[in-house]
């Protein structure tokens, strides 16, 4: 429901959604297949250290925890009330939550506005607002933070810790991102599924993320904005990069977005384009680009100029990259234009048949020492703004050795503030190299175009900052 | 070097490049770090069953094989001569190969036309043509086929067997694709790196692939065409889908492509667009799209209409998909427009809060049985042309069980000739599900947009076939 701008009492209380000392789970079930059971199971599994109060009118114990018949029976303070009971029961739970002075309400239950029950949803929202009890949801999947070992919802994974805060309207896409996080070492600071956004809105999580010390980049998935002014206002206060993906642009998507999270999209895609621009955010088109760009912005500084040097052992990756740079309006410059000295220096690290254009092709025979030398020369040249490296697995390539050398060079050149991005296109050892690089803060990707998308986003962020 | 059209003597002899009974490796080294050693090592490692003759003027044995000082010393017939000696020595090797009546010449050696030695390269080409000894290369990485357990070159992987023939000008990108093949179960029939294409050209491998019983789809990576007429002519003879990626469109890419494989690109990207269209091929833009589309066209029939039904347990994947369908000019239709009966039938397999639009959102609680029922209804409806399924890992989703159910339904509906594509976006179990689906001929992808690219390519192929 519309807000004018982010409400301070909500922003202040969001810490109880992401780092509560105690949680009451209303609808906690004794049966492992039920969602109300999964919530507690996942909390325990991922190491939640606070108090857990299952609430179930017909149980005295759930998963080893003493159960309460109602919220009012809990005599200790409750930070967070998590609700997973059928929609028609929710209103009275909210009243109970207010009466026990809970700090935060999360309603996971579906079947509200998205199936036509707008009145019920609005009634609950108004009640919560009147009582200053912030409500997240309904129709959501959950939230958590790897830094707090906190996984609260119907969520089978906790992401690996890292710099990206993911604020998602969709639960399923959030789950997918959390899975990707574990599998591909995409680090997150916290995550939340907003669902129908009956009360708490994007803007409030955006302001929270700006204060969160673990968050370096905000990744926001939007199906529809109820409060575009508040969104823009909050984004403009943020000193960190923001990446946005907005879906539901298609004619059929408008209907589907309503059925999904009750999002109303009367406005065109161009309307959202303008909002995202006004907000100073970077817009991603595809899901992959959304993740790739967020990873880069979370880990790397802005690119403060267009002198990018690409170093590769494969001409093919180089060509795919320079085509894609041009497609995105940021063509590479020839090495001799960037720095005539660099062309000479880098020749020492390639065979006679290598190519010192840009991409710099140090050839399929490139050794770890040659890579290291070429990377160092590129980083240390004062005319160079950023470095893109690529490893292709020829029969003589030491993929992991090269990744380790890249990490060494990067660590020794970090104070220069130049972005570094890697491509490792190939099989299992490239996958391993990607993980290793990511674990050391270097965004690495399996295809050239993904890496170029990331580098261009760092450039756009640099331009916007100015 | 330019050809008017594919030469029959070359096409006929390509079997000796991909399935030779005997190979002489000239430049076979005793030292494991040398490329001339790797070639034999990889041949043995992947199970090559033919005869191997190392040629080395200073060795009597290489990796346990009797070595010959010159090609002329080999008295038995030699199908394939693989050359990995410095460029200035190649001309005399070619003469030897002609004298021993070798069937096929492969020159891996670099440092020919791509660094300015066009005359030397042309001289060798003319000599080979005069003697009707087809020459692949120079400046290439190798070739092979998993069906023949044949891996010939500087190639650390053999791909998994499957339907895609990969004909690549770039060695490094070919290596990347081979790595991807193993890691992501992208099946190939054969692969070849063409390098500088001094003699044997795309068109000849295209005609060979058309006759190859294991090949169902041709995936072609082009940096520049010396013989565009021959390319178009051969493609038009092919009864199988052809996917093309053409790189080197950028200004700097034109130079880089020359430095890489001596490709001359005086023509604009629009020129190549027209050639690819005339050839009846599908053009991919990014490397990922190139692989994704080839996988689909290799495994699935053409999509003969635009009634695509999408079944998902996550609204987010559905929205990303319908947006991307619209972006590509193939909007989804609402289910009730496709088939009013289907809307009713499919409702039996979703909860009350599911959404029977299209995407059909059977909700995050979807069970294996619900998925199976929904898939079956969609496949069996006579108005439906193709089915797109999506699995998001909620806390109650049986990802692998759903993948198995999808395979069962697909197997029982195969005779309907309707394409089936899956999305599994998430963590490790989604990756497993993708592999399982791919192993059963169902193209499966980790993001919605990749799957949509694949489905749209099946539609474009269907349109072109008509």
């Amino acid at each position: 429901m519309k807000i004018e701008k982010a409400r301070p009492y909500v922003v202040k209380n969001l810490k109880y959604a992401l780092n509560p000392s105690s949680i009451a789970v209303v609808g906690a079930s004794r049966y492992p297949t039920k969602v109300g059971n999964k919530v507690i199971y996942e909390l325990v599994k991922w190491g939640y250290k606070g108090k857990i109060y299952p609430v179930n009118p017909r149980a005295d114990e759930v998963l080893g925890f003493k159960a309460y018949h109602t919220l009012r029976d809990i005599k200790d303070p409750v930070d967070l009330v998590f609700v997973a009971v059928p929609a028609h029961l929710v209103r009275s739970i909210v009243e109970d939550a207010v009466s026990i002075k809970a700090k935060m309400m999360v309603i996971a239950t579906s079947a509200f506005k998205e199936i036509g029950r707008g009145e019920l949803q609005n009634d609950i929202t108004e009640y919560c607002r009147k009582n200053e009890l912030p409500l997240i949801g309904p129709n959501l999947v959950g939230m958590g933070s790897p830094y707090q070992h906190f996984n609260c919802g119907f969520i089978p994974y906790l992401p690996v810790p890292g710099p990206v805060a993911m604020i998602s309207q969709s639960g399923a896409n959030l789950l997918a991102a959390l899975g990707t996080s574990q599998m591909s070492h995409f680090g997150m600071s916290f995550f939340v599924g907003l669902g129908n956004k009956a009360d708490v809105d994007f803007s409030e999580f955006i302001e929270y993320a700006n204060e969160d010390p673990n968050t370096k980049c905000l990744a926001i998935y939007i199906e529809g904005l109820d409060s575009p002014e508040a969104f823009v206002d909050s984004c403009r206060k943020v000193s960190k990069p923001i990446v946005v993906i907005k879906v539901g642009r298609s004619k059929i998507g408008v209907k589907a977005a309503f059925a999904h999270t009750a999002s109303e999209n009367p406005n065109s895609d161009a309307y959202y384009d303008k909002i995202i621009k006004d907000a100073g955010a970077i817009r991603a088109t595809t899901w992959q680009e959304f993740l790739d760009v967020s990873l880069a912005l979370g880990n790397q500084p802005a690119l403060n100029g267009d002198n990018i040097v690409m170093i590769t052992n494969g001409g093919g990756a180089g060509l795919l990259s320079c085509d894609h740079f041009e497609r995105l309006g940021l063509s590479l410059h020839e090495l001799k234009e960037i720095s005539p000295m660099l062309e000479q220096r880098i020749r020492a690290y390639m065979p006679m048949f290598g190519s010192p254009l840009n991409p710099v092709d140090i050839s399929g025979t490139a050794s770890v020492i040659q890579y290291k030398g070429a990377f160092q020369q590129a980083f240390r040249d004062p005319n160079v703004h950023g470095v893109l490296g690529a490893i292709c697995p020829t029969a003589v390539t030491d993929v992991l050795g090269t990744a380790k050398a890249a990490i060494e060079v990067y660590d020794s050149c970090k104070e220069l503030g130049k972005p570094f991005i890697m491509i490792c296109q190939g099989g299992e050892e490239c996958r391993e190299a990607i993980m290793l690089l990511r674990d050391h803060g270097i965004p690495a990707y399996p295809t050239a175009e993904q890496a170029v998308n990331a580098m261009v986003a760092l450039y756009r962020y640099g331009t916007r900052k100015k």
Side-chain angles (χ1 to χ4, degrees), chain A:
Chain A
M1 200 187 274
K2 194 171 172 67
I3 54 173
E4 293 310 316
K5 48 168 60 197
R7 296 156 295 171
Y9 82 90
V10 173
V11 177
K12 193 176 135 266
N13 271 24
L14 289 183
K15 63 175 177 285
Y16 299 112
L18 289 165
N19 191 13
S21 302
S22 51
I23 306 175
V25 178
V26 185
S29 170
R30 284 161 293 180
Y31 309 107
T33 56
K34 295 284 180 182
V35 287
N37 183 282
K38 289 273 178 197
V39 178
I40 296 175
Y41 175 83
E42 299 289 343
L43 279 171
V44 174
K45 177 176 165 192
W46 298 98
Y48 174 62
K49 300 285 178 238
K51 290 200 174 109
I52 298 174
Y53 304 111
V55 177
N56 179 331
R58 285 176 304 279
D60 296 319
E61 197 189 291
V62 172
L63 284 165
F65 294 92
K66 171 177 165 34
Y68 297 79
H69 290 190
T70 72
L71 269 180
R72 290 173 198 261
D73 297 332
I74 306 170
K75 296 306 169 197
D76 294 309
V78 172
D79 281 351
L80 173 65
V81 176
F82 188 98
V83 181
V85 297
H88 67 278
L89 301 174
V90 171
R91 169 66 203 236
S92 74
I93 306 289
V94 175
E95 287 169 23
D96 286 359
V98 168
S99 82
I100 64 164
K101 298 196 171 64
K103 306 285 201 321
M104 178 62 61
M105 188 84 204
V106 171
I107 304 179
T109 310
S110 299
F112 282 95
K113 192 174 175 190
E114 77 280 11
I115 64 153
R117 286 181 182 158
E119 263 182 55
L120 177 59
Q121 182 175 311
N122 290 346
D123 175 52
I124 292 168
T125 305
E126 275 158 22
Y127 184 81
C128 283
R129 288 189 175 179
K130 206 175 66 192
N131 290 283
E132 294 207 348
L133 173 64
L135 154 64
I136 307 175
N139 186 23
L140 61 66
V141 71
M143 66 266 311
S145 165
Y147 290 100
Q148 316 302 340
H149 308 283
F150 179 56
N151 182 354
C152 181
F154 320 135
I155 300 173
Y157 330 90
L158 195 62
V160 297
V164 179
M166 183 157 293
I167 304 166
S168 172
Q169 201 166 344
S170 161
N173 283 343
L174 178 61
L175 291 175
L178 300 176
T180 304
S181 171
Q182 278 206 337
M183 189 174 64
S184 306
H185 297 205
F186 176 97
M188 291 192 197
S189 51
F190 72 81
F191 61 90
V192 59
L194 295 181
N196 288 7
K197 315 185 260 83
D199 179 39
V200 176
D201 210 333
F202 285 110
S203 57
E204 286 143 348
F205 269 106
I206 289 166
E207 297 201 5
Y208 176 84
N210 196 35
E211 300 301 320
D212 176 42
N214 296 318
T215 299
K216 309 289 178 214
C217 170
L218 289 70
I220 305 177
Y221 171 99
I222 299 174
E223 298 192 350
L225 286 176
D226 305 316
S227 310
E229 299 83 2
F231 174 79
V232 171
D233 181 66
S234 294
C235 284
R236 293 177 75 106
K237 287 183 198 159
V238 170
S239 59
K240 303 170 181 179
I242 302 173
V243 184
V244 170
I245 184 165
K246 160 69 181 69
V247 304
R249 52 165 257 154
S250 52
K251 223 177 96 196
I252 201 163
V254 171
K255 285 195 184 190
F258 185 84
H260 186 213
T261 54
S263 296
E264 289 168 30
N265 269 300
N267 298 302
S268 68
D269 199 55
Y271 166 83
Y272 279 102
D273 238 5
K274 184 173 179 310
I275 287 177
I276 294 165
K277 209 177 156 195
D278 286 350
I282 307 281
R283 182 169 186 176
T285 306
T286 66
W287 182 253
Q288 190 65 56
E289 191 193 340
F290 177 59
L291 296 181
D292 291 341
V293 163
S294 304
L295 181 77
L297 284 162
N299 284 284
Q300 291 289 313
L303 178 63
N304 291 314
D306 64 354
N307 282 342
I308 302 157
V309 171
M310 176 169 187
I311 292 160
T312 177
N313 69 337
L319 282 169
L320 289 167
S321 299
C322 53
D323 278 11
H324 201 58
F325 272 118
E326 187 165 300
R327 210 176 277 133
L328 300 182
L330 187 74
S331 297
L332 290 182
H333 302 296
E334 281 194 47
L335 204 57
K336 62 182 181 207
E337 289 167 24
I338 294 175
S339 165
M341 290 301 287
L342 182 56
E343 188 187 340
Q344 291 314 311
R345 288 202 189 101
I346 234 164
R347 268 196 190 277
Y349 301 99
M350 61 171 72
M352 183 259 290
F353 50 89
S355 160
L357 283 165
N358 188 23
V360 180
D361 184 348
I362 60 172
S363 101
T365 61
S367 66
V368 170
I369 290 166
Q370 286 174 319
Y371 261 112
K372 203 169 165 178
F375 283 145
Q376 268 167 340
Q377 293 301 336
F379 265 110
R380 292 196 181 148
D381 189 292
N383 293 353
V384 173
H385 299 119
V387 179
L388 176 60
I391 314 176
C392 298
T394 74
V396 296
T397 308
D398 178 356
V399 174
L400 278 172
T402 303
K404 283 174 194 160
I407 292 164
E408 263 180 64
V409 175
Y410 174 66
D411 285 344
S412 73
C413 295
K414 234 179 203 165
E415 78 287 355
L416 298 171
K418 297 178 181 182
F420 188 30
I421 286 178
M422 289 286 296
I423 304 165
C424 305
Q425 45 164 197
E428 204 51 66
E429 81 285 34
C430 289
R431 200 168 109 88
E432 256 180 75
I434 287 173
M435 300 309 143
L436 187 68
L437 289 161
R438 289 185 171 196
D439 292 346
H440 287 81
I442 302 170
Y445 304 94
T447 71
E449 292 90 347
Q450 289 174 268
V452 171
N453 285 340
M455 190 62 100
V456 171
L458 294 178
Y459 179 75
R460 289 193 184 143
Y461 181 60
T463 312
R464 255 163 236 200
K465 263 175 82 176
K466 282 177 204 156

